[in-house]
Amino acid sequence: PNRRLPKKFILRGRNHFRLLKTSGARRAGKFLVCNYLKVDEARKVAFIIPKACGPAVTRNRIRRRMREGYRLLQDRILPKVSIVWIARRTSSAATYDQLKLEMEQLLQRSGLWLEVTK
């Protein structure tokens, strides 16, 4: 399947972030925080990496790892949800596999994970 992450599925706009923060739910792990809200539109996502995570090179590396992890997991996420992933300071020391595993665990804990039945 095509697992690209087109720009139309990137969450944008101050109002969307404010709505997610005020009306949404939150799950936190060692490396990441997941803010989410079930909505009536297609799934959208945003990635936030604060300056506390390190210099620009480090923040960009974290963002690339988070985007790739999400890209591979997106087929198993509920279709009508908005998600904001926020990196914690500890994420600068995390490997790609650790970030992807934590993403999966946070999605499962939040009830956004689709179980595949064979």
Side-chain angles (χ1 to χ4, degrees), residues 13 36 58 112:
Y36 61 93
T58 304
L112 303 176

Side-chain angles (χ1 to χ4, degrees), residues 21-34:
K21 184 76 172 169
T22 58
S23 303
R26 177 184 188 272
R27 294 283 182 263
K30 182 178 179 183
F31 304 116
L32 302 171
V33 175
C34 176

Side-chain angles (χ1 to χ4, degrees), residues 22-112:
T22 58
S23 303
R26 177 184 188 272
R27 294 283 182 263
K30 182 178 179 183
F31 304 116
L32 302 171
V33 175
C34 176
N35 289 331
Y36 61 93
L37 178 66
K38 294 180 180 175
V39 293
D40 294 331
E41 54 193 33
R43 181 185 324 122
K44 291 195 176 195
V45 65
F47 303 94
I48 299 174
I49 295 80
K51 287 189 176 183
C53 291
V57 173
T58 304
R59 294 194 311 268
N60 288 333
R61 183 181 306 120
I62 295 167
R63 184 183 320 274
R64 285 192 307 269
R65 289 176 178 174
M66 289 171 61
R67 283 179 60 100
E68 180 64 10
Y70 176 82
R71 188 184 72 80
L72 295 175
L73 297 173
Q74 69 182 342
D75 294 338
R76 304 276 307 272
I77 301 173
L78 291 177
K80 298 197 179 233
V81 66
S82 292
I83 303 173
V84 174
W85 294 100
I86 304 170
R88 289 188 152 181
R89 183 177 295 182
T90 55
S91 63
S92 61
T95 64
Y96 164 75
D97 291 327
Q98 289 173 318
L99 289 176
K100 184 179 173 195
L101 178 63
E102 185 157 300
M103 278 183 158
E104 188 175 332
Q105 291 170 347
L106 290 173
L107 290 167
Q108 288 173 349
R109 285 186 5 214
S110 59
L112 303 176

